[in-house]
């Protein structure tokens, strides 16, 4: 079953999906950090074996620069998306106050990143996949109404 959305539901869906980019962006910086650590450790081990005089210091400096840049990127993204996350979290809480199950379904789908199958299989809502889709649609309708109020 595919989730067919109305125009209004698509608007709410786009708004809620803004948070879903956070893990990808931070994951990209974590990968860079991991590469820098591997570069540093490899260069340090080589420099230790060969002695410091063969350019190992330059490679270690380059690795440390990669690590520093990745760390700065992680902090920058965390700061940037921290407020966005709080906004989306608060928004879904407002939906949940209007309709508890729909809000819970939105939270599981948009914050926890679960599929409709995953939500249904988790048993947390006690309903089928078809009902999960209905709850998400209803939650998106409420979301659109809330977005229209602001």
């Amino acid at each position: 079953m595919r989730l067919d959305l109305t125009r209004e539901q698509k608007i709410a869906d786009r708004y809620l999906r803004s948070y879903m980019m956070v893990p990808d962006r931070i994951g990209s910086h974590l990968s860079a950090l991991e590469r820098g650590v591997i570069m540093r450790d490899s260069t340090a081990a080589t420099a230790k074996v060969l002695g410091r005089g063969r350019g190992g210091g330059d490679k270690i400096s380059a690795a440390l620069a990669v690590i520093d840049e990745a760390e700065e990127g992680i902090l920058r993204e965390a700061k940037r998306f921290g407020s966005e996350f709080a906004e989306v979290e608060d928004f879904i809480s407002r939906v949940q106050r209007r309709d508890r199950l729909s809000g819970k379904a939105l939270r599981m789908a948009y914050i926890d990143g679960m599929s409709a199958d995953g939500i249904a299989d988790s048993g947390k809502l006690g309903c089928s996949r078809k009902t999960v889709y209905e709850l998400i649609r209803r939650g998106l309708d409420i979301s659109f109404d809330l977005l229209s109020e602001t």
Side-chain angles (χ1 to χ4, degrees):
M1 176 184 274
R2 191 170 159 264
L3 188 61
D4 291 319
L5 303 175
T6 65
R7 184 180 81 64
E8 292 83 4
Q9 289 168 336
K10 287 178 185 177
I11 291 169
D13 175 71
R14 271 186 241 117
Y15 173 75
L16 291 171
R17 284 186 187 277
S18 65
Y19 167 70
M20 296 175 82
M21 295 183 323
V22 175
D24 291 338
R25 300 285 298 271
I26 291 178
S28 142
H29 291 294
L30 288 173
S31 294
L33 181 61
E34 187 177 288
R35 281 193 315 275
V37 169
I38 290 169
M39 287 170 56
R40 180 199 63 202
D41 293 349
S42 171
T43 304
T46 302
K48 186 176 182 180
V49 169
L50 299 176
R52 291 255 179 218
R54 300 199 178 175
D58 292 340
K59 289 181 181 179
I60 290 175
S61 295
L64 292 174
V66 169
I67 292 169
D68 287 344
E69 186 177 323
E71 287 175 335
E72 288 171 15
I74 290 168
L75 292 174
R76 187 175 52 249
E77 295 299 332
K79 183 178 177 182
R80 179 176 165 212
F81 288 112
S83 62
E84 191 170 318
F85 171 75
E87 183 180 320
V88 170
E89 177 75 28
D90 178 61
F91 186 81
I92 289 178
S93 292
R94 289 171 57 204
V95 171
Q96 203 164 352
R97 282 192 291 274
R98 289 194 182 185
D99 184 323
R100 188 181 64 79
L101 284 178
S102 292
K104 207 167 182 182
L106 288 184
R107 183 175 306 283
M108 294 171 81
Y110 290 95
I111 292 182
D112 299 339
M114 296 174 71
S115 67
D117 284 334
I119 294 169
D121 291 344
S122 76
K124 291 181 181 178
L125 297 181
C127 58
S128 69
R129 181 177 65 154
K130 181 180 177 185
T131 303
V132 169
Y133 281 123
E134 292 168 9
L135 290 170
I136 290 173
R137 279 192 208 92
R138 190 166 59 218
L140 290 172
D141 286 336
I142 294 168
S143 296
F144 181 78
D145 291 343
L146 291 171
L147 287 171
S148 297
E149 290 174 4
T150 57

